[in-house]
Each structure stands twice: as structure tokens, then as C-alpha cells.
Amino acid sequence: MCATAGSASLPPSSDPPSVAELGEFGLITRITAGRALAPGTLLGPGDDAAVLAAADGRVVVTTDVLVEGVHFRLDWSTPHQVGRKAVAANLADVVAMGAVPTALVVGLAVPGQTPVSTVDGLATGMWEEAGRVGAGIIGGDVVSSAEIVLSVTALGDLRGRAPVTRGGARAGDVLAVCGRLGWSAAGLAVLRRGFRSPAAVVGAHQVPEPPYTAGPQAAAAGATAMIDISDGLLADASHLAEASGVAIDIDSAALPVAAELADVAAALAADARQWVLNGGEDHALLACFPVAAALPAGWTRLGGVQAGVGVTVDGQPYQGGAGWAHFESRGDR
């Protein structure tokens, strides 16, 4: 594991090669031993439950589940990348509430024949990504299963601010985005064609890069509503519009279609604009701000909020799909 300062190195390679040989408690010790815990952790792994300080008096909580073959494939991603991705998806939800991540709890289900090296990689990635925001893994569970399943619960601190929900947008607000759009979808398209390059877009699918500091900054700037873009821009804008009881219009001229995406789309005879509008798992942030508010650094105006219902592009319904939907799609996202 790539741990925070003061952590111990991994056990030597002579350890048992499979999870079954190592055993439940040996595996837990391997994942947690020597890890530096984040500030605010009063009691970490090793007891019936962990204890975390909550200075604000409120705790933001979110959970995501990643299933092998649905959310990741180990022939496309390393265990380290999967671990980072699992944590990033949860941390993005915390910051989308305007909170600062503080800790994570992880449920890990693996087949008994899983190599210990695979779990080492998963743990390394999880601890590394948590360390990017100064958080740590304070507990969890390990069980046997038919495939690898990662269930990650992330906790956050609002630091005295009100949570920024999906339901606060008002007619007249400005719609803005922070982070990449369409990159993960482009990377997935490349992998599905049997290629591993360009590395930049493939890497964006393997490990997202949420703008972690942008959520709290948006909250401080007066954001009225915010959401993590995990299912696609149009899909998540629709969630925000429905929760707020408003209509959202996206300006196509403002869509951030990167040159790298345009190049990949040309090579694959695909539509980069479709990736930007409907591609999931980049974990950018979408937020609404009062029209008089100054957008924080890194945020780009993308459209506006109006009275009404639904989401439009340039004032018209979009006919090209509506992003990811569980139970309707199959295979790695």
C-alpha cells in the first residue's frame, strides 16, 4: 500500500499466496497494520467499531458498491487502480455535499483463491486515494464471495456550513461544472475496442480524478445545489432539476470537448460530444450558483436554470441518450 506518512511497508512476498491461506484476521491485519490514521480518528481498526470525532455535530455519509465484471475488470485495470476508483467515487459524493472527507469504512468480499497480491493492490489504491484528501480507512469487514465486491462508505465534515443538496437550485441560477467530462467514456470505448492507448483517456477510465477541493469551495461561494456527475452530465443534471423543481438548459457551445477526446472519437468513428453529455464515472461536479455570485477558480459556466421541468440542450430536448442506468446496462461501465 502507498500509505500516508509513518506507515509500515507491506509484508514480505513469502507470505501465503491466497486469501484463504492467509485467513480473515490475517488479511485484515495485512490491510491495516502500520497505517497512519487521519486526524479526528479516536479509535481505528481492531475493535467492534471505530470512533470518529464529529466536531460539526453532523456527519455526511455515502456508500457505493463496486462489483467485478460490472464496475471494473481486472484485465482492464490493476487492483491498485480499482482501489483508487472505489474510494474516489465515494469521496466525490462527499465533496458534492460541500463537505470535507474525513474517513472511510470498507467492506471487501473476495473469493478464497484470490491472490494476496490482488488484495495488497486494492488496499494500496484505497489508502493512496484516501490520503489525497487527508482521510483514512477506519474499519470495515472482509468476507468470502464468488467475485470481488468493494463496498465503500465515506464520511465527511460540513465544517459549520449547510449541506449543498440537489434540491436548492432556483430559476435564474447559473449552471457550472468543475472537472473532466467524457474522458472515462472515451477510455471505456478504447478498451472495448481492444486497445490500451491513448494512455490519458484509458487512465481516466481506470482512475477518475474528482476535483476534491471544488465542492467545499462551491459551498463557500454560495452554491444553491450540487451533484457528482457519476452517471453522465444529462442524467445527473436531470436528477438536480427534478429535485429542485426547475428546468436546466445546457449551452452546447460551452461543452468542454477536449482535443484528446476529439482525436479518439475520430479514430473510433464515434461522437466525442456524446461522451461529454452522457459519459459517466468522471466524477466532475455540477452546481448551480446565484447569478451574481463569482464562480470559484476551476468552475466553468455551462448553462442556466429556468422555471419548468427537465433538461434541454440549446433549448431543445436531446435525442442522443441519457447516460448510465443500473439494471438496464450490462458489462463494465
Side-chain angles (χ1 to χ4, degrees):
M1 300 178 184
C2 181
T4 51
S7 63
S9 61
L10 287 173
S13 58
S14 59
D15 282 350
S18 76
V19 168
E21 291 174 283
L22 187 60
E24 176 186 357
F25 294 105
L27 186 61
I28 293 172
T29 298
R30 187 181 183 95
I31 292 171
T32 61
R35 298 292 174 180
L37 298 176
T41 305
L42 304 181
L43 181 64
D47 218 305
D48 290 330
V51 180
L52 186 70
D56 181 85
R58 300 166 297 173
V59 178
V60 173
V61 182
T62 184
T63 298
D64 268 346
V65 178
L66 275 73
V67 179
E68 184 178 10
V70 177
H71 301 95
F72 65 90
R73 287 173 46 171
L74 289 178
D75 59 332
W76 284 356
S77 300
T78 66
H80 177 269
Q81 291 168 333
V82 173
R84 285 191 61 189
K85 184 175 185 176
V87 167
N90 282 267
L91 297 180
D93 282 335
V94 170
V95 301
M97 302 297 292
V100 176
T102 55
L104 301 107
V105 178
V106 177
L108 173 63
V110 293
Q113 69 272 20
T114 302
V116 170
S117 60
T118 297
V119 179
D120 285 344
L122 292 169
T124 298
M126 289 189 288
W127 278 98
E128 180 179 318
E129 194 67 22
R132 290 168 62 87
V133 295
I137 300 170
I138 62 172
D141 192 21
V142 174
V143 298
S144 176
S145 68
E147 65 267 313
I148 298 175
V149 179
L150 274 169
S151 175
V152 180
T153 297
L155 310 174
D157 180 6
L158 288 165
R159 297 193 174 178
R161 292 186 294 264
V164 184
T165 69
R166 302 176 181 186
R170 300 165 297 197
D173 282 352
V174 170
L175 182 73
V177 67
C178 184
R180 302 188 299 192
L181 293 175
W183 284 71
S184 180
L188 178 59
V190 169
L191 287 167
R192 283 177 167 167
R193 296 290 185 94
F195 302 110
R196 295 300 182 103
S197 63
V201 295
V202 172
H205 177 72
Q206 293 165 327
V207 180
E209 297 182 3
Y212 292 130
T213 61
Q217 288 171 347
T224 57
M226 186 156 48
I227 190 170
D228 158 44
I229 304 177
S230 57
D231 295 331
L233 174 60
L234 290 180
D236 288 312
S238 294
H239 298 324
L240 195 154
E242 181 178 2
S244 296
V246 296
I248 287 176
D249 185 58
I250 294 171
D251 178 5
S252 65
L255 289 174
V257 181
E260 294 89 339
L261 302 193
D263 290 343
V264 171
L268 299 182
D271 183 356
R273 189 168 175 266
Q274 171 78 1
W275 291 335
V276 171
L277 286 168
N278 285 316
E281 293 197 317
D282 284 301
H283 298 289
L285 298 180
L286 185 70
C288 300
F289 296 85
V291 68
L295 296 182
W299 285 86
T300 300
R301 181 168 179 158
L302 199 59
V305 180
Q306 308 162 354
V309 296
V311 175
T312 54
V313 178
D314 298 330
Q316 300 297 321
Y318 185 70
Q319 304 298 324
W324 169 269
H326 287 283
F327 308 111
E328 295 179 9
S329 302
R330 294 293 182 266
D332 184 274
R333 292 172 60 163

